[in-house]
Amino acid sequence: MNENTQPPLLIIQTGLPPEPVSNRHGTFSCMIREAAGLRAGDIEIVAVHQGAQLRPPSSYRAAIITGSPAMVTDLADWSERTADWIRRAVDLGLPILGICYGHQLLAHALGGRVDFHPRGREVGTQTVELLPAAGDVPLLAGLPSHFPAHLIHQQSVMEVPAGATVLARSDHDAHQIVQYGDGVISSQYHPEFCPDIMGTYLTHFGPRLGEEGFDVQALSTRLRPAPEARELLLRFVRQHAAMREAA
């Protein structure tokens, strides 16, 4: 069978990085594609935040939902339409990976609660701790119990939906990785980020972060690679979304 007949991996683009970030590193979809080693022919990008329409979930082999500067609690029309699509996709059994906004939108769509974190923003390279339940999840098997990850978010999943399993936490956020059945999983951190991308964010948001009480220089000093965090994305692509070679 020709590989072009295989359903594509869907990337649901829910927003764009700030211009200084996108000018240097590309869109969230570009970052995901580069980090996961995906080819252009492997994927279909649908910019839902710009009004683009998703095809039925059965049209895709798996989906990744990107980050966004938007807030889930704004209940924007495009976001609520995407939440409805997510519910249909989960019912169909489509494998889904949610990242940052995608992590929050999954929880919102499936009955959880998202809101601004009472302790404010989480930003920079921070430590994620796997919980005991992660030991039974192939996408996380063999990872160390604590590993660095890149984060920047103001809202969080404050309450997970019924039936969801929390797999990881950080000192700031109790719900860093959440699983919904075998094929649906999400992370508050950005597995597609590298220290250079995170550093560009810190530079761009530096004045605002300073006003919020962050030591931007200290955050910059603590930047480091996060290969273990990236494994979630890499393994998801290998397990659910990698295109098969032509027969």
Side-chain angles (χ1 to χ4, degrees):
M1 178 181 291
N2 188 293
E3 66 180 4
N4 290 331
T5 66
Q6 301 291 334
L9 163 64
L10 169 66
I11 298 182
I12 302 176
Q13 189 163 282
T14 61
L16 297 173
E19 191 169 303
V21 177
S22 60
N23 285 346
R24 183 170 179 181
H25 306 288
T27 65
F28 292 120
S29 298
C30 292
M31 296 176 197
I32 289 168
R33 179 184 163 191
E34 182 174 346
L38 290 161
R39 299 166 296 175
D42 294 346
I43 61 176
E44 178 177 318
I45 300 170
V46 179
V48 292
H49 68 292
Q50 295 176 335
Q53 299 297 307
L54 293 159
R55 294 191 286 143
S58 59
S59 304
Y60 306 104
R61 63 190 298 121
I64 298 174
I65 311 170
T66 74
S68 176
M71 299 296 167
V72 168
T73 56
D74 286 344
L75 304 179
D77 288 346
W78 64 264
S79 187
E80 289 298 282
R81 286 195 300 270
T82 306
D84 181 64
W85 186 94
I86 287 169
R87 287 187 284 271
R88 289 185 281 120
V90 170
D91 287 343
L92 186 68
L94 185 73
I96 301 174
L97 171 63
I99 296 172
C100 198
Y101 188 92
H103 167 77
Q104 297 163 17
L105 187 60
L106 265 168
H108 168 72
L110 300 177
R113 184 173 68 88
V114 175
D115 207 340
F116 287 94
H117 197 289
R119 291 171 56 194
R121 189 190 303 268
E122 186 176 32
V123 62
T125 306
Q126 305 296 338
T127 299
V128 169
E129 176 189 358
L130 292 180
L131 300 176
D136 299 324
V137 178
L139 292 179
L140 303 173
L143 294 181
S145 61
H146 295 74
F147 57 82
H150 304 300
L151 300 110
I152 180 163
H153 65 109
Q154 293 176 282
Q155 294 200 327
S156 293
V157 176
M158 304 308 296
E159 297 176 10
V160 299
T165 303
V166 181
L167 302 178
R169 63 174 297 278
S170 67
D171 286 344
H172 181 91
D173 195 314
H175 307 127
Q176 279 291 339
I177 304 177
V178 179
Q179 185 179 45
Y180 308 89
D182 290 339
V184 182
I185 194 167
S186 63
S187 67
Q188 181 57 70
Y189 64 80
H190 283 270
E192 79 278 23
F193 278 16
C194 63
D196 195 27
I197 294 172
M198 193 73 255
T200 304
Y201 266 95
L202 293 180
T203 299
H204 173 66
F205 283 109
R208 184 184 306 180
L209 294 172
E211 292 172 0
E212 294 175 12
F214 289 97
D215 183 336
V216 179
Q217 181 58 48
L219 289 171
S220 298
T221 300
R222 289 200 295 269
L223 289 175
R224 61 194 188 279
E228 298 90 353
R230 182 165 293 192
E231 280 296 309
L232 178 61
L233 172 62
L234 295 176
R235 293 178 184 187
F236 180 86
V237 168
R238 285 197 296 265
Q239 181 169 335
H240 297 299
M243 300 300 287
R244 291 192 287 269
E245 297 298 325

